[in-house]
Amino acid sequence: MNKLPADLMASVRRHLSNRDTKPRPVLPDGRGTLKVTAFDGVAEVLLFDEIGWYGIRAEDVIHQLADVTATTINLRINSPGGDVFDGVAIMNALADHPATVNVTVDGLAASAASFIAMAGDTITMNRGAQMMVHDASGLCIGNASDMREMVDLLDRISNTIAALYAERAGGSVEDWRATMRAETWYSAPEAVTAGLADQAVGPASEGMAAASIAASFDLTCFLYAGRGHAPAPALNRVSPAP
């Protein structure tokens, strides 16, 4: 068998070593950008996009947080969620950072963005903000055995997420799984009552909240297009263990 010239082989190796095995799509201007600014010991981080491949990736957050030496991080969220594993990695990167993390939900913290918010030492719901929790979902192509494995995987993932809510807000994993299966939406005051946030800033009408969320994201992938279209959440708060 004929061998490629050494210089060509070296070029191929360089190309393969530099190739992104999971290339990102071409995103519109302003999409997929994590904004981090720091001033006088405080860093502000804007998480204003989907989480994962088509938005803000965990590796981008982790790389930028590594350079943050501020003693306080103000994380602002407006996100419909996205990839669960990227979300968990982002949450852990924030929770493990030595800075005090203050989370503010400015618009929407849905799906993966809702448990990223749980990394905050404090969690504030801004005017008209909403939060949504639901079971993990995924795609599977294969035979019956493949489908059963996917069911088991999704249950394990959802249990892990439910444990994060339970740790923050109290209640059991089973309680939160029931809440997640129902795809539960919270207004700002409701999120506080449920224990998922510490405070809500000012009153806001439901109409204002619905308009704010609808203007930001396409919510047709969910059962309900925002809190205004969803049933009222159960708000039997259980205090978390000390």
Side-chain angles (χ1 to χ4, degrees), residues 136-158:
S137 61
L139 297 174
C140 180
I141 299 175
N143 57 30
S145 177
D146 297 321
M147 300 296 176
R148 292 188 192 99
E149 289 180 5
M150 174 60 84
V151 170
D152 291 341
L153 173 62
L154 290 175
D155 273 333
R156 290 196 300 272
I157 292 171
S158 293

Side-chain angles (χ1 to χ4, degrees), residues 12-71:
V12 169
R13 290 193 188 96
R14 284 196 301 272
H15 172 73
L16 292 176
S17 65
N18 293 329
R19 186 179 62 180
D20 187 346
T21 57
K22 189 177 181 182
R24 297 189 72 178
V26 177
L27 301 179
D29 288 343
R31 289 292 309 278
T33 301
L34 178 73
K35 295 181 176 65
V36 180
T37 56
F39 179 76
D40 197 23
V42 177
E44 183 171 82
V45 180
L46 299 185
L47 199 67
F48 275 27
D49 206 337
E50 296 176 27
I51 306 301
W53 183 60
Y54 199 76
I56 295 173
R57 300 179 297 180
E59 61 188 278
D60 300 327
V61 177
I62 291 168
H63 287 161
Q64 293 213 42
L65 286 180
D67 296 327
V68 172
T69 58
T71 57

Side-chain angles (χ1 to χ4, degrees), residues 33-152:
T33 301
L34 178 73
K35 295 181 176 65
V36 180
T37 56
F39 179 76
D40 197 23
V42 177
E44 183 171 82
V45 180
L46 299 185
L47 199 67
F48 275 27
D49 206 337
E50 296 176 27
I51 306 301
W53 183 60
Y54 199 76
I56 295 173
R57 300 179 297 180
E59 61 188 278
D60 300 327
V61 177
I62 291 168
H63 287 161
Q64 293 213 42
L65 286 180
D67 296 327
V68 172
T69 58
T71 57
T72 300
I73 294 174
N74 292 331
L75 173 68
R76 310 191 75 97
I77 297 176
N78 184 31
S79 172
D83 185 274
V84 65
F85 294 114
D86 268 36
V88 170
I90 292 171
M91 180 203 68
N92 283 322
L94 289 162
D96 292 341
H97 198 282
T100 297
V101 178
N102 299 316
V103 171
T104 299
V105 179
D106 279 325
L108 176 63
S111 189
S114 68
F115 60 78
I116 288 174
M118 299 301 108
D121 294 291
T122 66
I123 303 173
T124 299
M125 302 291 291
N126 217 333
R127 302 168 190 83
Q130 299 182 29
M131 186 176 288
M132 184 272 276
V133 303
H134 69 164
D135 256 9
S137 61
L139 297 174
C140 180
I141 299 175
N143 57 30
S145 177
D146 297 321
M147 300 296 176
R148 292 188 192 99
E149 289 180 5
M150 174 60 84
V151 170
D152 291 341

